[in-house]
Amino acid sequence: MSDIDRRYNAWIPSESTRQILVAKVMSPNSVTLDRSQLTMPGVVVEDSQGDPIKELVYKFMGEQESNKRQMLTADNVSQNEEGLQQLIAGGCYRSAVDLTARLLDRYNQGNGAVGQQSLNTPLTLQIWFTRVALMMKLRLFSTVEVEIEAFGNLDKPDLFYEFYTEMYPGKRGSMVPFSFRMLHAELPQYNGRPQDTIDRLYYLHAITSKIISNLESGLAEDGSGIEISEENRKASVQLWKSRLIRILYSIGNCLAMMKDYNQASMVYRDLLDKDTANVTSILSSIGRIHLQLGDLRSAEKCFDEVEKHITSDKDKSQIYMNKAFYWLAQSNYAEAHSNFVEVLKIDPDNALAINNMSVCLLYVGKLKEALKTLENLVHKDPKYLQEGVLFNLCTVYELESSRSMHKKQVLLDLVNKHRGDGFNVQSLKMI
């Protein structure tokens, strides 16, 4: 097994799983497991995900326009991982979900396979990770939870290389991508159970911290005495520390979503020492948390610290962005607008600043200017056809004109030409 494989696949299983894996390595044919100890995953969503944009075009612009829609689907790409990548790159997330179901069916993990024993491989786990990530992006959280249930807490023996001694002789560790573990941990918060997410993230935090501790104590990631060169040990510590940072960001974000701003702030403070390359962004986030708490003084202190760390003119946009949010928290839309303007002088393509600037214009009664600002943005480049921007523009249309539906159809036409089936059509406020 290569050092790179060992580094990326390392994981510390529960004691019960470890004992099964040891027995498997010692005497593969002597281990018999109960069905509950195996994963046995399967696809739950059988029907095609469809194309909501095409349906909306048909409803408002007619069959002829609907038939003109040019878009990749699961039927017109290669039926493999390359085709899957092609669909994802084109923003065709629903078609990509359809293709993952077809690919998993080849491995007896397709529709109707739940509860049937099948073979897990690094490839099937990667396809499952992609499927889960896509469905979460499409906000199909309840469906994801049903499908991911078969994997338990991603600790079952048949998710480890040691379980398949004949297929992967001498190979150790988990086949589950670390990013899959992160999605599994983050999922419950989107189904109204944020505390479950916090519990799962702290479990990942504990395992990751233990792996780092093992490495720094001269052991291998899993605590064994495998000899590792200094260069590889350093690379492994760096990888797992980056993963720990990723977990902490996720914990902080979940706490902020729970409106537990004090705890979130403490987590971000911990990140200041661990993620030194992003100090200004972290301080800005802490400052904005203080704004949520109404603690303007503490927010101002954080934003002052940001200014001390910024040395280049290019990075000064962050200073003005923080000032803009500071004034927004006090409902001073004129001052906020002025600072968003300063951001755009440095970073003319900052969609967040443009979007917020238009909101400020709306609040100070300059509706036509707000409208012009957003329209210029979305017509400037297809990359600005973002759901949040279009939602705000459609809201302004509703305030500005009785002909709002006609104007929304113009936006629908743009989306039809430039966006894949993963676009959330609810942002157009037509349904």
Side-chain angles (χ1 to χ4, degrees), residues 18-29:
R18 189 190 69 80
Q19 289 180 6
I20 291 170
L21 295 176
V22 169
K24 264 283 187 181
V25 172
M26 297 293 290
S27 180
N29 298 322

Side-chain angles (χ1 to χ4, degrees), residues 389-407:
V389 173
L390 292 184
F391 181 85
N392 282 346
L393 180 52
C394 290
T395 301
V396 176
Y397 280 151
E398 290 173 351
L399 295 170
E400 182 259 351
S401 171
S402 59
R403 297 177 63 248
S404 64
M405 187 56 73
H406 173 74
K407 294 185 176 184

Side-chain angles (χ1 to χ4, degrees), residues 236 244 251 401 414 427:
S236 196
L244 186 64
I251 291 171
S401 171
L414 284 173
S427 62

Side-chain angles (χ1 to χ4, degrees), residues 226-241:
I226 298 172
E227 190 173 334
I228 304 173
S229 71
E230 191 57 35
E231 181 183 354
N232 279 306
R233 185 178 301 281
K234 189 179 294 185
S236 196
V237 168
Q238 185 177 2
L239 170 69
W240 284 95
K241 282 188 173 180

Side-chain angles (χ1 to χ4, degrees), residues 343-359:
V343 171
L344 294 173
K345 287 179 182 177
I346 301 168
D347 183 9
D349 294 329
N350 191 312
L352 178 63
I354 296 171
N355 200 24
N356 278 289
M357 189 170 73
S358 66
V359 173

Side-chain angles (χ1 to χ4, degrees), residues 19 52 241 272 308 335 359 412 426:
Q19 289 180 6
K241 282 188 173 180
L272 285 174
K308 292 175 185 175
E335 283 292 338
V359 173
L412 174 59
Q426 291 184 345

